[in-house]
Amino acid sequence: MQRILITGANGQIGSELLPELRRRYGEEQVVAAFHKRLPDRELLDSGPHYFVDVRDADKVRQIVREFRIDSIFHLAALLSAVAEKHPQLAWDVNINGLLNVLETARSQCCAVFFPSSIGAFGPQTPAVDTPQDTIQRPTTIYGVSKVSGELLCDYYQHRYGVDTRGVRFPGLISYRTPPGGGTTDYAVEIFHAALTEGRYQCFLRPDTRLDMMYMPDALQAMLCLMEADASRLRHRNASNITAMSFTPEKIAAEIQKHLPDFSITYKVDPLRQAIADSWPQHMDDSCARQEWGWRPDFDLPKMVQDMLEKLAQRLQQEQHDGLDKD
Ligand code: SER
C-alpha cells in the first residue's frame, strides 16, 4: 500500500482509520472521500479530500486515477437499523457503491478492503462459535448486502484478479465518531450516557449477547489483513473476527466498577431487538488467527477502562472548545 483512498472517511471507522493511515503512510498519500456530513476541522485539514457519493462511478474513478491510488478502503455504507428503514437506498449505496469501487479497482489495478459484518449471518446460522464457513441466510437488507458484497468481492478476485480482502466485523466501540444507525450502537451510547447523565436506557434486552470489538483492534485488523502475504489467505471475503462477547447487563456492570452510581434501564426497540436476535453471539475467529495472525488486544475490562478515560477527555475538550467559541 502506497497511495490509499478511504470512502466513508467521516464515518465511525473512517474517522479513525484516516489519521492512522496518514500517520503511517504520509498525509498526502491518503485521500479521504467524505459523504454529506461535514467532518470535524481536524479531519478536514489533515490532507487531500473530496466530497463523493460512492454511487457516482465517474467521480470515484477520477479520484483513483488522479492520485494513482493503489489501495481502497471502501467503508461507505448504511448500517443495519437505518438500512431496514430504507431498504432500496441501502441496496443502492451498499451494493452499487461497492460495484463502482470494484470496477475502478479492476481498471486501475487497486487492492480493495471491504468490511463485512456479523450481520452477514442469520437465524439459521449457529449462534455460538459461529464457524467461518456456515449458513448465511440473513433476514435484514443490511445482511443481504453484506453477503452479496462478500460474494462480489470474491468474484472480482477470481474472475479479474483484483486483490480483494475483508473481515466480518462485530459491533465496534469507539469514542471519536458515533456509529449512527446500527444495532450494536447501544455499546457506544452507553458510555456517553454514563459520563453525561449517569444513566442509560438500552434499546436491547439485558441478556442480548453479541460479539464486539474496540476500535484500536479493528484498525489493527484492517492493516494486518491488507499487509498479509496473499498466499496465506484461504478466506478473502470475509474472515470472522471478534474480541469480546457481552450483553447489555454485563457491560453495564463493568461500567459500574468505575462509576458506581451508573444505572441502566431497558425499553426494547422491536426492530433492533429482532435484528440482534438473528445475529451470532460469538463467532469462531480461528481462521483469521491462523491465516493472517489476527489477535485482539482489548477484552471487556480493558476496553471499558480505556473508553471511559478517552471519552471523558474528549467530552471535556469539546466543552472547552464550545466555551471558547461563546
Ligand atoms: N455494527 C453494525 C450494525 O449494528 C453491524 O455490523 O449495524
Side-chain angles (χ1 to χ4, degrees):
M1 288 195 290
Q2 282 176 349
R3 301 177 74 88
I4 302 165
L5 172 67
I6 306 179
T7 71
N10 45 345
Q12 187 194 12
I13 305 176
S15 64
E16 303 226 20
L17 183 65
L18 182 60
E20 180 60 24
L21 288 178
R22 285 189 167 150
R23 197 177 61 72
R24 287 184 186 221
Y25 295 93
E27 284 165 12
E28 297 304 314
Q29 310 300 310
V30 185
V31 180
F34 299 126
H35 181 55
K36 277 193 190 157
R37 185 161 45 91
L38 199 64
D40 59 39
R41 264 269 66 97
E42 213 178 318
L43 281 189
L44 207 54
D45 294 344
S46 68
H49 64 265
Y50 287 88
F51 284 86
V52 188
D53 182 330
V54 289
R55 291 171 296 174
D56 183 345
D58 291 342
K59 183 84 183 171
V60 173
R61 194 173 48 246
Q62 182 209 319
I63 297 168
V64 166
R65 284 171 76 154
E66 188 179 325
F67 282 87
R68 290 177 288 113
I69 297 292
D70 58 52
S71 304
I72 306 173
F73 286 81
H74 177 50
L75 307 178
L78 268 66
L79 290 182
S80 59
V82 75
E84 219 44 48
K85 290 190 179 138
H86 309 281
Q88 292 76 13
L89 177 67
W91 178 265
D92 197 17
V93 174
N94 292 11
I95 291 299
N96 291 328
L98 174 61
L99 190 61
N100 290 340
V101 165
L102 289 170
E103 268 301 290
T104 298
R106 175 166 82 96
S107 63
Q108 308 300 315
C109 299
C110 304
V112 175
F113 174 86
F114 168 71
S116 188
S117 156
I118 47 172
F121 298 114
Q124 291 150 277
T125 307
V128 178
D129 290 334
T130 306
Q132 172 66 42
D133 300 307
T134 183
I135 301 167
Q136 290 186 266
R137 306 288 292 178
T139 46
T140 61
I141 190 68
Y142 176 72
V144 171
S145 75
K146 288 299 179 188
V147 178
S148 309
E150 289 183 11
L151 293 172
L152 204 53
C153 286
D154 270 347
Y155 179 77
Y156 268 71
Q157 200 274 322
H158 70 74
R159 178 77 168 80
Y160 300 116
V162 178
D163 185 359
T164 57
R165 306 178 185 199
V167 296
R168 296 185 184 126
F169 275 131
L172 295 179
I173 300 161
S174 62
Y175 53 86
R176 180 170 183 142
T177 305
T183 302
T184 56
D185 294 12
Y186 91 84
V188 178
E189 290 174 7
I190 196 169
F191 287 99
H192 286 263
L195 288 168
T196 57
E197 316 275 333
R199 62 193 140 82
Y200 177 60
Q201 187 177 71
C202 183
F203 56 77
L204 294 182
R205 273 195 324 264
D207 61 346
T208 310
R209 177 172 291 280
L210 290 167
D211 276 308
M212 298 278 176
M213 184 180 294
Y214 195 32
M215 189 58 82
D217 279 332
L219 300 183
Q220 191 231 112
M222 287 186 274
L223 296 174
C224 186
L225 174 61
M226 290 307 276
E227 283 162 1
D229 179 352
S231 67
R232 290 180 61 197
L233 302 179
R234 279 203 323 109
H235 298 89
R236 281 174 165 272
N237 302 284
S239 303
N240 287 359
I241 54 168
T242 185
M244 59 192 97
S245 165
F246 58 75
T247 61
E249 60 190 353
K250 188 112 190 276
I251 190 177
E254 195 60 41
I255 291 173
Q256 279 158 350
K257 290 183 188 166
H258 301 263
L259 304 170
D261 294 336
F262 171 66
S263 64
I264 184 164
T265 54
Y266 298 90
K267 185 168 182 233
V268 171
D269 167 15
L271 171 71
R272 287 179 285 186
Q273 186 66 54
I275 295 175
D277 288 342
S278 75
W279 286 355
Q281 296 176 15
H282 181 254
M283 289 185 285
D284 172 4
D285 61 5
S286 51
C287 286
R289 289 171 187 263
Q290 282 155 23
E291 290 177 31
W292 49 274
W294 159 244
R295 210 166 60 88
D297 281 337
F298 287 86
D299 59 9
L300 177 62
K302 197 172 165 193
M303 178 275 287
V304 168
Q305 178 166 354
D306 199 67
M307 185 73 187
L308 285 172
E309 272 170 32
K310 301 277 171 49
L311 183 61
Q313 284 164 14
R314 192 159 183 95
L315 292 174
Q316 242 173 25
Q317 186 62 42
E318 278 171 13
Q319 205 182 15
H320 185 262
D321 294 349
L323 288 176
D324 273 359
K325 268 184 217 147
D326 293 342

